[in-house]
Amino acid sequence: HKRGGVKVDGPPRAIQDRATAEAVATEARDRPFAVTAVRTGNRRKGAPAPFTTSTLQQEAAKQYGFSAKRTMRAAQRLYEGVELGEEGPVGLITYMRTDSVRVADSALAQVRDFIAAGWDARYLPATPNVHKSGRGSARVQDAHEAIRPTDVTRRPEGLKAALDTDLYKLYLLIWRRFVASQMAAPEYETTTVDFALGRLLFRATGGRARL
């Protein structure tokens, strides 16, 4: 976390090259990692925004190891429609090429009703969560909504038999993120543990969800 009182992630950075990193490893190697401080606290983390094209690709890569091409191929099929028995082909998600996190009022109303019916009242905020686009938000193309289920009442488990593995995984990701985007901000009990080794300070952090 720090070397000689200077943070590793700076600026300025305490470790800026391989030689320094190797020197730190050598310095730490023979020292006991004894706990020198423990702190606990509480933290509230904002509800995540619904997916845009880029954030969907990033999360699918992180969760499933999908390439961007594989993610978009599955998203295209979910958007164009999947055969659902007597219903015929049904588009399960909104348009998958978007930079916007905007959600239609009708979809907001539906997901809030869905959360109210399925979870404790603690999980539904008093008013809808409003999310803002990230960097370059002034240039965001807002013609399309965020990527979301066309009908949030279509739970992933109810569609599993109709979807192949890639489609099911991606729909599950999109559905969960959309529902979470309109839930109350989660609260965490945080713990920070320090290990001071001479000039070196190592830090471990963790959190446990309360809500």
Side-chain angles (χ1 to χ4, degrees):
H1 182 64
K2 291 183 180 179
R3 181 175 187 252
V6 180
K7 284 191 174 183
V8 170
D9 56 1
R13 293 192 305 161
I15 302 174
Q16 300 192 36
D17 52 48
R18 178 175 178 174
T20 306
E22 290 177 345
V24 167
T26 300
E27 189 176 346
R29 188 168 289 123
D30 297 326
R31 293 174 178 266
F33 270 71
V35 174
T36 54
V38 178
R39 292 178 298 282
T40 59
N42 297 300
R43 179 170 65 94
R44 182 179 289 271
K45 185 177 181 181
F51 284 126
T52 63
T53 302
S54 61
T55 57
L56 176 62
Q57 291 173 348
Q58 291 163 16
E59 195 64 18
K62 183 169 71 174
Q63 295 284 340
Y64 306 136
F66 283 9
S67 66
K69 184 176 181 180
R70 185 175 178 182
T71 296
M72 296 311 291
R73 183 167 59 240
Q76 181 80 35
R77 291 173 60 194
L78 290 170
Y79 169 70
E80 290 179 346
V82 176
E83 288 288 338
L84 298 181
E86 295 180 357
E87 291 186 76
V90 176
L92 296 177
I93 65 170
T94 54
Y95 192 56
M96 66 289 165
R97 295 193 181 277
T98 178
D99 293 328
S100 175
V101 293
R102 179 179 60 83
V103 174
D105 290 344
S106 57
L108 283 178
Q110 186 189 47
V111 72
R112 284 177 59 80
D113 287 346
F114 182 79
I115 294 168
W119 282 274
D120 187 281
R122 298 179 301 153
Y123 292 90
L124 183 67
T127 58
N129 293 329
V130 177
H131 300 282
K132 295 182 180 180
S133 299
R135 288 186 304 171
S137 58
R139 299 188 300 274
V140 164
Q141 298 297 313
D142 202 50
H144 301 288
E145 293 182 63
I147 302 171
R148 62 167 178 82
T150 52
D151 183 349
V152 76
T153 65
R154 294 187 188 275
R155 290 176 172 267
E157 57 270 26
L159 298 173
K160 194 169 186 178
L163 304 177
D164 66 30
T165 301
D166 279 12
L167 267 63
Y168 174 75
K169 284 184 173 181
L170 202 66
Y171 183 76
L172 178 66
L173 205 62
I174 293 167
W175 186 90
R176 283 179 171 174
R177 175 61 71 93
F178 179 57
V179 174
S181 75
Q182 287 303 318
M183 283 188 159
E187 295 178 357
Y188 293 90
E189 179 184 280
T190 61
T191 303
T192 302
V193 182
D194 284 354
F195 309 83
L197 285 66
R199 296 189 306 154
L200 308 178
L201 175 65
F202 290 83
R203 176 167 293 173
T205 60
R208 181 176 63 182
R210 284 181 166 174
L211 173 60

